[in-house]
Amino acid sequence: MQLNNNVTEFILLGLTQDPIKKKIVFGTFLLFYLGMLLANFLIITTIKTSRTLESPMYFFLFHLSLSDTCFSTSVSPRMIVDALLKNTTISFNECIVQVFSFHFFGCLEIFILILMALDRYVAICKPLHYMTIMSQRVCGVLVAVAWVGSCVHSLVQVFLALSLPFCGPNVIDHYFCELQPLLQLACADTYVINLLLVSNSGTICTVSFVMLMFSYGVILRSLRNHSAEGRRKALSTCVSHIIVVILFFGPCIFTYTRPATTYPLDKMIAVFYTLGTPLLNPLIYTLRNAEVKNAMRKFWSRKLVSDDK
């Protein structure tokens, strides 16, 4: 419920107020966003159409690409369009929707990364029981739990946002609605809410990162008992996962495990995890995964042949 709120809209300052720089922002990030859409669309389409990519790892990769696309889309299109506008305002209700969608898909990505680590652990450390443990039904249930958990997390964020009283100042020094800059505008003591924010988002980021790095440490240690070829293949897959984890969780931990203060660097860090990471993820998985590359080549070969007929 919205309490003691005299503000009906917010003004987003964006990445810059300089007209020339805003045009550069528009052109640059439009290309990045379209590249992100194309790269993730290729992975989603390839996994959906390829019979060789039906293992649980690719099932989770499909959902990672889907969450990446939605996560970036919750923020990037508005940032790109706002770069062309002189007055960039967002209504209070739109702001709340953006808070929900941003945290929903961001949290979903965290949970999917955890499921991908679990999949690699079972595949490498329990290979004889892999297909039994990671059955299609189990994977479906795990992803469903991830979606529900993300929804719960996002509803908590929305509740925190709605509990903030806004009495006058409505200029957000950011390019999208996020709780950290919103806390700066509240006309009340936000210590408790900031504590809840850190305990919610900050704890999810930090605990998940520690769990993931520990699990990959266990996986890498267990590779000593595998053949040279098995070690090479497993190591290639795990290194890709570890790179993605570090790229995503580094900015996340920096943003959500500190007091409600804003720094000039915050915007660029936000750009990295809202647009940079979703663009890099499919490139990392594709470049380091021969199966995905081969499946993509086969998919486009079939596509070109069917188009020529």
Side-chain angles (χ1 to χ4, degrees):
M1 187 173 68
Q2 187 175 333
L3 302 173
N4 302 323
N5 198 349
N6 298 323
V7 175
T8 58
E9 65 178 19
F10 296 100
I11 298 172
L12 298 171
L13 292 184
L15 290 173
T16 179
Q17 291 295 295
D18 184 279
I20 304 298
K21 290 181 180 178
K22 288 179 79 170
K23 291 178 181 178
I24 296 173
V25 166
F26 172 78
T28 303
F29 291 110
L30 177 61
L31 289 175
F32 283 171
Y33 180 66
L34 293 176
M36 183 279 301
L37 288 179
L38 177 61
N40 283 289
F41 174 77
L42 282 175
I43 285 188
I44 290 171
T45 306
T46 302
I47 293 174
K48 267 298 181 184
T49 57
S50 176
R51 293 182 180 179
T52 62
L53 303 179
E54 293 181 345
S55 68
M57 181 175 75
Y58 297 112
F59 175 73
F60 294 133
L61 180 56
F62 169 87
H63 284 276
L64 180 68
S65 289
L66 182 62
S67 63
D68 266 337
T69 303
C70 296
F71 178 58
S72 184
T73 301
S74 69
V75 171
S76 299
R78 186 176 190 97
M79 171 187 69
I80 293 166
V81 172
D82 283 351
L84 294 177
L85 303 177
K86 187 175 182 180
N87 298 316
T88 55
T89 60
I90 183 171
S91 70
F92 184 88
N93 290 335
E94 287 177 309
C95 184
I96 296 301
V97 169
Q98 193 173 62
V99 168
F100 176 85
S101 59
F102 174 77
H103 280 275
F104 178 84
F105 291 111
C107 188
L108 179 61
E109 182 161 350
I110 289 174
F111 290 153
I112 295 298
L113 287 171
I114 291 174
L115 294 181
M116 292 178 79
L118 172 65
D119 171 71
R120 289 301 85 203
Y121 171 79
V122 177
I124 294 170
C125 300
K126 311 265 184 195
L128 298 179
H129 305 285
Y130 177 65
M131 294 311 297
T132 303
I133 297 173
M134 302 303 292
S135 66
Q136 189 174 9
R137 182 183 176 187
V138 169
C139 292
V141 170
L142 289 173
V143 169
V145 170
W147 281 76
V148 173
S150 302
C151 186
V152 172
H153 164 74
S154 301
L155 289 174
V156 172
Q157 301 302 102
V158 167
F159 174 78
L160 293 176
L162 290 176
S163 66
L164 293 171
F166 300 102
C167 310
N170 68 335
V171 178
I172 298 177
D173 188 15
H174 216 303
Y175 63 89
F176 68 98
C177 276
E178 173 61 310
L179 278 177
Q180 291 281 15
L182 283 176
L183 288 172
Q184 305 294 313
L185 302 180
C187 52
D189 184 9
T190 59
Y191 175 79
V192 174
I193 293 178
N194 184 65
L195 199 62
L196 292 172
L197 173 64
V198 171
S199 63
N200 184 13
S201 297
T203 300
I204 288 176
C205 289
T206 306
V207 173
S208 298
F209 179 72
V210 172
M211 285 174 53
L212 285 165
M213 296 311 293
F214 177 78
S215 65
Y216 282 118
V218 172
I219 292 170
L220 293 175
R221 188 171 182 271
S222 71
L223 291 178
R224 294 181 302 175
N225 303 322
H226 288 65
S227 64
E229 177 63 21
R231 279 200 302 270
R232 186 195 62 77
K233 188 175 180 181
L235 188 62
S236 177
T237 302
C238 289
V239 167
S240 299
H241 290 202
I242 292 170
I243 291 172
V244 169
V245 166
I246 293 173
L247 289 176
F248 184 81
F249 281 93
C252 176
I253 292 172
F254 174 81
T255 302
Y256 295 109
T257 57
R258 58 184 171 84
T261 53
T262 56
Y263 302 106
L265 192 62
D266 285 349
K267 292 182 185 180
M268 293 314 300
I269 290 176
V271 166
F272 182 76
Y273 67 76
T274 58
L275 190 55
T277 304
L279 174 63
L280 290 173
N281 282 356
L283 297 178
I284 292 169
Y285 283 114
T286 303
L287 292 175
R288 296 189 62 86
N289 192 306
E291 287 181 326
V292 175
K293 286 190 286 188
N294 291 334
M296 281 186 175
R297 277 194 288 266
K298 289 178 182 177
F299 170 75
W300 285 109
S301 296
R302 291 197 307 268
K303 182 85 173 148
L304 291 172
V305 169
S306 64
D307 288 343
D308 288 340
K309 291 180 179 179

